[in-house]
Amino acid sequence: MTVSDTWIRPGERYTADEGATSMTGVQALVRLAVNVRRADRAAGRDAALFIAGYEGSPLAGYDLELQRHADVLAAHDVVFRPAVNEELAATAVQGTQLAPGTGDARVEGITGFWYGKSPGLDRASDALRHANLMGTHPRGGAVAFVGDDPSAKSSTVPGASEFLLADLGMPVLYPADPQDVLDLGRHAAAMSRASGLWVAVKIVTAVADGMGAVDVAVDRVRPMLPDTGFEHTVDARMLQPRLSEMEKTRDGARLAAARAYAHVNRLNTIHQYGSRARVGVVAAGKTYLDVRQALDRLGLDERELHARGMRVLRLGMVHPLVPAEIEDFARGLDEVIVVEEKRSFIESAIKDILYHVPDAPRIVGKTDGQPLVPAVGELDADLIAAALARRLGELGGFPTVDAWRAPRRTLALPLVSRTPYFCSGCPHNTSTKAPAGSTVGAGIGCHALVLMMEPDAVGDVLGLTQMGGEGAQWIRPAARKSAPRLVPLAPEGIRGPAARDIVAVHTTRIMGVGGTGVVTVSQILTTAARFAGLEARSLDQTGLAQKGGAVVSDIKISRSAFEAGAKAATGECDLYLGCDLLVAADPNNLAAADPDRTVACVSTTKVPTGQMIVDTAAEFPDVVEVTDRIREASTDAVFLDARQSAVTLFGTDQYANMLLTGAAFQTGALPIPATAIEQAIELNGVAVELNLQAFRRGRQAVADPAAFAGALDGLTIRVPEQEPGRAAQEIASAVGISPESPLGRLVLGRVADLIEYQNSTYARGYAEFMRTVVAVERAAVPDSTALSEAVARNLYKLMAYKDEYEVARLSLDPRVDAAASAEFGPGARISYRLHPPVLRALGVRHKITLGPWFRPVFRVPRAGKRLRGTPFDPFGRAQVRRVERELITEYRAAVDAVLPNLSPGTLAHCVEIADAPDEVRGYEDIKLAGVARFRARLADVKERCDG
């Protein structure tokens, strides 16, 4: 069916009578409740609708979306009651089917919606089994929306619910996209009324998170009721002999009524290509779109399919199958290939139907003698294409398939991956810390992220449990030996790019970090495509992205209607939009690029991962190396620091992705008119003017780089640097190196800082030690300054430790005032957040905020810095201060010990010792822990050197 040409605003997606808008699968579920009720009113039915369930990915957010639009629900007699668990929700929904028979019902029928993810279905199966035996009311109906996460991207176990749903006696519908959710959802409610059965709707992650154009008109679906002569009567008195009759009708007359409904409403469709089809392919739901995409990748477009002869069966209902439809589909075929995720469910059902049929075709699926369609993980177009290519290649007569099977490029990058981490300020940051040596039993939810973290921080994580089972692994004391321890405006008039034409389907992949607006960009571009008269569908692959992990959004655009999965297949990407460098460099994402096809537009901002924040040894990979690899995988590439540019131009990085989108558009790789993109930004209604300016500035960055650089330069805050004084230059000159060399500039800067930190005598001690190191390295390894540079950095770090005197000096530094005035304007108010050891000793557990009035107080410790390290130092007796002074002596001794043995062969070990102070960071207990690591590292390196 076609989609309406009338485009409605996102804010009207639940209220408009007709028209189309972009929706996710979850949003389509919300609209479904409205459409069911509007259809009832149009038919003159006095009814209501009740929704209950328990949240969980991939249906996470359904409850929140319902709550946000409570006024719309109330206007349509829809009651939403989130439940404390899935089984109670199922029981409540079944109550709606009993209500009309109580004698005091307000309406003549209530439609019930139950929702939950696949583990919730497991938990609620007893309640649902009872409910389906009782059955549904002919003027009510009950629909179970089950969220399946086949790859366990945001679950602890992979989900495939059709086996259990079939065992519960429920017909199972499987939508392919958001429009299907709305259409098949209407059919599910009507089928439930016609059959007396609960009807299940299987919604996988790609459908729940996917976005596409959805026609919201109620009369788009007009259910046809089969003439079965059967009407079920709900009965909750589950005792014999009534119980046997319930079981008999559930598996007999009621299931037959469901088959009849599916047949008359054409929920399953056969596509015939060519007069003599030899091969048939069967798929359902989202997998059907993956199959169409796979066929296209194999060169089997409409014309080629007709030439070679093929038949494709698209199943909207995967259980029960309609025997007559299967027999019609299979008639005359040589082979049927069943493509489905997980175990063989559809394949087994088809084999049962065709078992006694004469001249039935060969049926393959999970195996053809060898493993064929994978039974684990999530299927995509690449996996399906490989399976189809093998079968079609063996059958012969498919030349485009033979060409596709030729060797293809592979790509692997050993780079840092962006793993999710706890949100800033989240209690999990501290509540998951475990004592050293502890064994930890985690559960599902956010704290499952400990599996991706170092044991030193979170303990030895044994594994996960199901929801509610956390810690119960340890209820077996007898089996254990001991108990565990448990902005300016961008100029108008920028010239437009020479945009690529859309040959068939254009694919854009957008990659970034969860919570930074990647999904918003995807939604805006999808909407913009519709404004431009194009067909579009998208898929947001989020998973744990909301915890700082990677998020990937794929968008497919065509000039005409198309059937294909939204996920980008290998080498299929036209525009590679990398909002985060690490996610863009991930081999799994980069596999979608093709050096003869893909244009890359990537931000080079170095955004640390959670691991980098907690582990000082984890470093960001070399940016040049990463960008070079992306260049190799693309035909053209544009790189810019989108986050820093956005901060400079607009004062915040929240517009970085839209700025990068503008740059991508200007490359010509985004075949959507700028007017349509700007119209979609306006329709979105969030920070419209600034997002428009960000988009235009991004265009300027590509169209007129000099003007863009000038705009950034004019807004860049620059604080005048203080030139080293004569005293610093005189002291640094004694080291015996050129002041213009990198090492010379490094030493001079550190000497100048140490004079300010303490005095010239203190700085001279630093320079004299450096003179010794430089002289030894120059004699032993003439071409190297690696050791000298390491000592220059780390000795300075230890000597310039941040004590009370230094905090006071830095707080009164005129450059701090200049920087604040430059960024926030003259007279900017500065406050200080402090937590000195003396307050900690008095029991104050948090930092205190002190305003500008405290500045005169800082003058006292600043003037008293001459007392640092003397017997009169009031702060020097604290343990941390004593350790800080000891470290300077220890470090010098360690360096002195390795200098006599310095040679080209020992240089790396010596530099490793010199860099050991990098372990010492933070304050108080954190710093003391770092000191312990520093000392352990020194001992380890020394032992290896001695060995």
Side-chain angles (χ1 to χ4, degrees):
M1 298 179 67
T2 59
V3 176
S4 171
D5 292 330
T6 303
W7 200 250
I8 57 178
R9 300 177 63 88
E12 301 171 329
R13 61 167 54 102
Y14 302 130
T15 57
D17 293 327
E18 58 184 13
T21 187
S22 294
M23 283 191 195
T24 65
V26 168
Q27 290 168 338
L29 278 180
V30 178
R31 175 71 198 204
L32 174 62
V34 173
N35 278 20
V36 169
R37 288 295 303 117
R38 288 186 177 181
D40 283 341
R41 288 177 176 176
R45 286 189 286 268
D46 182 17
L49 194 146
F50 176 77
I51 305 174
Y54 189 82
E55 64 173 335
S57 179
L59 297 183
Y62 178 49
D63 56 337
L64 298 178
E65 191 73 358
L66 288 168
Q67 291 168 351
R68 277 193 289 265
H69 299 279
D71 56 335
V72 176
L73 301 184
H76 290 82
D77 289 325
V78 177
V79 176
F80 170 49
R81 292 289 184 269
V84 296
N85 58 48
E86 294 85 351
E87 59 265 41
L88 290 181
T91 304
V93 170
Q94 183 57 17
T96 65
Q97 306 308 294
L98 298 170
T102 60
D104 60 349
R106 179 177 64 85
V107 293
E108 63 180 22
I110 303 174
T111 304
F113 283 2
W114 177 92
Y115 65 92
K117 65 188 300 181
S118 52
L121 174 68
D122 296 337
R123 178 170 185 164
S125 61
D126 187 32
L128 290 170
R129 195 179 302 276
H130 279 72
N132 203 32
L133 274 170
M134 298 175 197
T136 59
H137 195 279
R139 286 173 293 282
V143 182
F145 298 102
V146 183
D148 274 349
D149 184 5
S151 63
K153 189 169 184 179
S154 55
S155 309
T156 50
V157 293
S161 299
E162 50 268 35
F163 283 91
L164 177 52
L165 291 169
D167 185 64
L168 295 174
M170 293 186 190
V172 183
L173 309 188
Y174 185 5
D177 55 24
Q179 182 71 70
D180 247 8
V181 171
L182 191 58
D183 294 349
L184 288 180
R186 282 285 312 282
H187 283 301
M191 180 187 288
S192 179
R193 294 170 178 175
S195 66
L197 291 170
W198 278 59
V199 176
V201 179
K202 171 187 171 78
I203 300 179
V204 296
T205 303
V207 174
D209 295 343
M211 173 170 282
V214 175
D215 189 334
V216 301
V218 173
D219 60 1
R220 174 184 169 87
V221 173
R222 298 182 179 180
M224 299 175 61
L225 300 182
D227 184 13
T228 62
F230 171 81
E231 181 175 286
H232 179 66
T233 301
V234 184
D235 190 348
R237 290 167 289 183
M238 303 182 70
L239 291 174
Q240 297 292 9
R242 294 186 178 187
L243 189 58
S244 293
E245 183 63 22
M246 294 179 193
E247 184 180 13
K248 179 181 178 181
T249 61
R250 183 196 65 185
D251 301 333
R254 286 193 271 167
L255 205 61
R259 285 194 184 96
Y261 180 94
H263 185 63
V264 300
N265 286 278
R266 298 175 59 87
L267 299 190
N268 307 317
T269 54
I270 298 174
H271 301 273
Q272 173 79 28
Y273 301 98
S275 59
R276 171 63 176 93
R278 297 185 297 136
V279 181
V281 179
V282 181
K286 170 258 183 189
T287 305
Y288 168 78
L289 296 182
D290 291 334
V291 165
R292 300 301 308 212
Q293 185 178 357
L295 291 173
D296 186 67
R297 288 182 57 72
L298 295 174
L300 295 173
D301 56 16
E302 294 275 330
R303 181 176 178 179
E304 189 67 15
L305 286 172
H306 277 282
R308 305 304 160 193
M310 184 173 284
R311 202 174 290 161
V312 180
L313 172 58
R314 177 180 185 174
L315 294 174
M317 183 170 77
V318 299
H319 174 77
L321 298 183
V322 181
E325 293 177 350
I326 300 300
E327 292 173 11
D328 287 344
F329 170 75
R331 188 171 293 113
L333 296 177
D334 297 328
E335 182 168 306
V336 171
I337 306 170
V338 181
V339 183
E340 60 184 324
E341 288 180 330
K342 307 305 180 186
R343 294 176 290 160
S344 57
F345 179 77
I346 299 172
E347 179 186 356
S348 297
I350 292 177
K351 287 179 176 178
D352 285 346
I353 292 172
L354 298 180
Y355 182 74
H356 293 291
V357 174
D359 300 321
R362 180 189 185 194
I363 302 169
V364 299
K366 292 303 161 188
T367 178
D368 61 352
Q370 296 293 327
L372 184 63
V373 179
V376 297
E378 181 177 12
L379 293 181
D380 58 25
D382 290 324
L383 292 171
I384 295 171
L388 292 178
R390 196 175 92 197
R391 291 306 313 142
L392 298 179
E394 291 183 9
L395 290 170
F398 294 90
T400 62
V401 174
D402 295 336
W404 183 88
R405 297 179 75 187
R408 297 183 302 280
R409 177 182 67 99
T410 59
L411 181 68
L413 300 177
L415 297 170
V416 176
S417 61
R418 186 168 294 284
T419 55
Y421 205 81
F422 298 130
C423 300
S424 177
C426 172
H428 284 117
N429 283 291
T430 54
S431 66
T432 56
K433 293 186 182 300
S438 297
T439 300
V440 177
I444 67 172
C446 298
H447 64 290
L449 297 180
V450 297
L451 288 173
M452 306 178 188
M453 301 174 188
E454 292 298 322
D456 290 347
V458 296
D460 183 11
V461 183
L462 185 66
L464 304 180
T465 68
Q466 80 287 357
M467 178 174 285
E470 297 88 341
Q473 306 101 306
W474 307 118
I475 307 178
R476 53 188 188 102
R480 300 185 62 87
K481 293 180 179 179
S482 60
R485 288 196 294 170
L486 281 196
V487 144
L489 298 181
E492 297 287 350
I494 297 170
R495 65 183 182 275
R500 289 184 178 183
D501 190 25
I502 303 176
V503 177
V505 176
H506 179 282
T507 302
T508 294
R509 169 158 285 186
I510 312 173
M511 300 140 290
V513 181
T516 62
V518 172
V519 173
T520 300
V521 172
S522 172
Q523 293 174 349
I524 287 174
L525 292 182
T526 303
T527 302
R530 290 291 304 175
F531 283 153
L534 304 171
E535 294 292 328
R537 64 171 72 234
S538 65
L539 170 63
D540 301 320
Q541 302 162 70
T542 53
L544 290 170
Q546 69 273 23
K547 302 301 174 187
V551 58
V552 178
S553 292
D554 290 341
I555 307 172
K556 293 199 171 174
I557 302 170
S558 177
R559 296 198 179 279
S560 58
F562 65 98
E563 290 185 329
K567 185 177 179 181
T570 300
E572 195 176 66
C573 184
D574 296 284
L575 171 60
Y576 197 73
L577 189 58
C579 301
D580 178 77
L581 187 59
L582 292 183
V583 181
D586 188 299
N588 294 323
N589 293 328
L590 206 53
D594 185 323
D596 297 323
R597 175 177 181 174
T598 305
V599 174
C601 187
V602 180
S603 174
T604 57
T605 308
K606 296 170 68 172
V607 181
T609 65
Q611 186 61 29
M612 292 175 189
I613 293 173
V614 299
D615 182 2
T616 59
E619 296 182 352
F620 203 95
D622 180 70
V623 172
V624 175
E625 178 186 353
V626 176
T627 54
D628 283 348
R629 296 295 182 89
I630 295 175
R631 278 194 179 94
E632 292 173 5
S634 53
T635 185
D636 192 15
V638 172
F639 299 96
L640 71 155
D641 191 339
R643 283 200 170 193
Q644 186 55 53
S645 297
V647 170
T648 301
L649 291 168
F650 308 110
T652 173
D653 64 2
Q654 73 181 76
Y655 304 103
N657 292 351
M658 190 54 65
L659 187 147
L660 195 69
T661 302
F665 170 84
Q666 199 64 29
T667 65
L670 187 57
I672 305 174
T675 53
I677 295 174
E678 295 196 356
Q679 186 180 358
I681 292 172
E682 293 171 356
L683 187 68
N684 188 51
V686 178
V688 172
E689 190 57 38
L690 288 175
N691 275 302
L692 288 173
Q693 292 305 314
F695 176 68
R696 294 171 185 170
R697 283 294 189 190
R699 294 184 61 187
Q700 184 188 41
V702 174
D704 192 348
F708 181 73
L712 293 177
D713 186 68
L715 292 170
T716 301
I717 299 170
R718 291 183 176 84
V719 178
E721 293 187 5
Q722 184 173 331
E723 291 293 329
R726 181 175 298 177
Q729 296 177 22
E730 178 185 344
I731 294 172
S733 65
V735 177
I737 51 178
S738 170
E740 301 303 322
S741 67
L743 178 59
R745 290 192 295 270
L746 177 64
V747 170
L748 178 58
R750 300 310 192 267
V751 167
D753 283 350
L754 290 173
I755 292 174
E756 293 292 324
Y757 178 84
Q758 185 69 15
N759 52 39
S760 296
T761 302
Y762 196 67
R764 189 170 285 109
Y766 169 85
E768 290 173 352
F769 191 83
M770 283 305 307
R771 179 174 59 193
T772 301
V773 175
V774 168
V776 172
E777 184 173 26
R778 184 178 290 158
V781 194
D783 296 330
S784 172
T785 59
L787 178 61
S788 299
E789 290 179 11
V791 174
R793 289 192 305 269
N794 288 286
L795 178 58
Y796 164 80
K797 173 182 178 176
L798 296 179
M799 293 180 69
Y801 56 88
K802 297 295 185 297
D803 57 7
E804 291 77 359
Y805 306 110
E806 181 66 354
V807 169
R809 183 184 74 83
L810 293 175
S811 298
L812 295 176
D813 192 324
R815 288 172 292 185
V816 174
D817 296 330
S821 297
E823 183 166 359
F824 302 105
R829 185 178 186 272
I830 300 177
S831 295
Y832 308 93
R833 290 182 53 79
L834 305 174
H835 194 206
V838 63
L839 292 182
R840 190 176 291 106
L842 293 174
V844 178
R845 306 186 64 84
H846 304 286
K847 290 183 178 181
I848 60 173
T849 301
L850 303 170
W853 60 267
F854 197 75
R855 289 175 64 88
V857 180
F858 279 134
R859 297 192 182 104
V860 176
R862 182 182 65 174
K865 67 180 183 180
R866 63 176 60 91
L867 300 176
R868 179 186 283 126
T870 71
F872 305 102
D873 183 356
F875 308 111
R877 296 181 179 86
Q879 180 188 8
V880 173
R881 300 292 172 257
R882 294 197 309 269
V883 170
E884 287 167 338
R885 294 194 297 272
E886 293 169 359
L887 284 181
I888 301 172
T889 303
E890 291 177 23
Y891 181 72
R892 288 186 173 185
V895 174
D896 280 334
V898 301
L899 288 179
N901 300 317
L902 181 61
S903 69
T906 63
L907 177 62
H909 287 299
C910 294
V911 171
E912 189 175 357
I913 287 177
D915 277 334
D918 190 55
E919 297 283 354
V920 183
R921 300 187 184 189
Y923 300 91
E924 303 303 320
D925 293 343
I926 295 176
K927 188 166 194 174
L928 291 175
V931 170
R933 291 194 298 271
F934 159 75
R935 288 169 170 165
R937 183 177 176 185
L938 278 182
D940 177 64
V941 177
K942 184 177 184 304
E943 183 178 349
R944 284 191 279 121
C945 289
D946 293 343

